[in-house]
Amino acid sequence: MKTIMKKTVLQIALSVLLLGLFPVVTSAQEKSKSSLFNVSFRTGIASYEIENNSKSVSVNYGAYFLKEFEIGSKSVINTGLGVNNFLFDFQNANGQSINAQNTFIELPVGYKRYSYNQDRDKAFVTEIGIINRLKVNEEYTSFPDVNIEKDLGYNLGAIVGLGYHTSIYDYGSLEMGLILATDFLNSGYDNSNIIDNQVSLYFTFKFLR
């Protein structure tokens, strides 16, 4: 009888120990998951100025393929490649109204920090970095037609981001927030383009491994 009771007590103790270790093991597995790749969509407004023309309020929208490289338990370097479009209207020197769409290939490089909760499934996110922009296309429409010399170029901006991260399933999460950007280096080889005071709402789907 005593032997049976000892076995029963031992089984109960082992069961309790295993149940206690299970969350620890699960937590360790969750912490070991890293970002495979991210897909981000952004839309917002910005001040867009073409040299010798008045400033315009532009609407921008873009999509990005990003990768995070861990440099600590809460910090990553975030980089990737994306396409961003700016739509705006402006008046030329003759007072004619022109609609423009400028397309940029963008390479953001940022330092991100995650302030996780205890379960590491939710976090507030802050980011600071730069965004490299290469203007690859310009489209202008007006009535009557106006002949505008197209000009490509490079633009450099500084970015600051604030967002919220939450897990949505075992191997994926969602991040959303705001990114603020300001002009560092004007775009255009002959005709400077200034992109300033840019505020963008972003949604990022993160795929984990």
Side-chain angles (χ1 to χ4, degrees):
M1 185 69 175
K2 288 183 179 179
T3 304
I4 295 174
M5 288 180 65
K6 285 181 180 179
K7 287 183 178 180
T8 303
V9 170
L10 183 60
Q11 289 173 350
I12 292 172
L14 287 173
S15 299
V16 171
L17 180 61
L18 288 173
L19 287 172
L21 286 175
F22 182 75
V24 176
V25 173
T26 304
S27 176
Q29 289 176 342
E30 288 178 354
K31 289 182 182 180
S32 65
K33 291 178 184 177
S34 59
S35 171
L36 183 60
F37 64 90
N38 303 336
V39 177
S40 185
F41 301 96
R42 302 178 186 179
T43 183
I45 59 174
S47 170
Y48 201 114
E49 180 180 357
I50 297 179
E51 189 177 41
N52 300 323
N53 289 285
S54 60
K55 287 185 179 180
S56 302
V57 176
S58 69
V59 175
N60 66 274
Y61 62 92
Y64 302 78
F65 186 83
L66 303 170
K67 171 68 177 175
E68 293 183 354
F69 298 92
E70 293 184 4
I71 57 175
S73 60
K74 298 180 180 180
S75 304
V76 300
I77 296 296
N78 184 42
T79 188
L81 199 63
V83 177
N84 204 357
N85 295 280
F86 291 83
L87 308 176
F88 59 97
D89 297 314
F90 70 96
Q91 286 189 335
N92 63 7
N94 298 320
Q96 295 169 303
S97 181
I98 300 169
N99 177 260
Q101 175 175 327
N102 290 349
T103 302
F104 291 80
I105 296 294
E106 298 191 342
L107 172 63
V109 180
Y111 168 80
K112 295 179 70 174
R113 183 170 178 83
Y114 290 85
S115 299
Y116 288 103
N117 65 350
Q118 187 174 1
D119 296 328
R120 291 181 68 91
D121 60 349
K122 295 178 175 61
F124 287 103
V125 187
T126 53
E127 181 176 8
I128 185 170
I130 59 172
I131 186 163
N132 301 275
R133 294 181 169 125
L134 183 64
K135 186 163 57 173
V136 294
N137 188 51
E138 290 183 330
E139 295 292 337
Y140 296 107
T141 55
S142 63
F143 184 81
D145 288 338
V146 178
N147 184 23
I148 299 176
E149 184 178 350
K150 296 183 179 180
D151 182 46
L152 306 184
Y154 171 79
N155 177 268
L156 177 66
I159 57 173
V160 175
L162 178 63
Y164 181 73
H165 162 98
T166 181
S167 297
I168 53 177
Y169 62 97
D170 287 345
Y171 291 95
S173 61
L174 173 66
E175 190 176 312
M176 63 192 78
L178 292 174
I179 290 182
L180 312 178
T182 186
D183 196 282
F184 259 8
L185 183 64
N186 300 349
S187 173
Y189 300 124
D190 299 316
N191 189 23
S192 294
N193 288 197
I194 301 174
I195 305 170
D196 217 351
N197 302 317
Q198 183 181 354
V199 181
S200 298
L201 179 66
Y202 75 89
F203 296 91
T204 299
F205 298 92
K206 306 180 69 174
F207 298 88
L208 308 177
R209 58 181 174 186

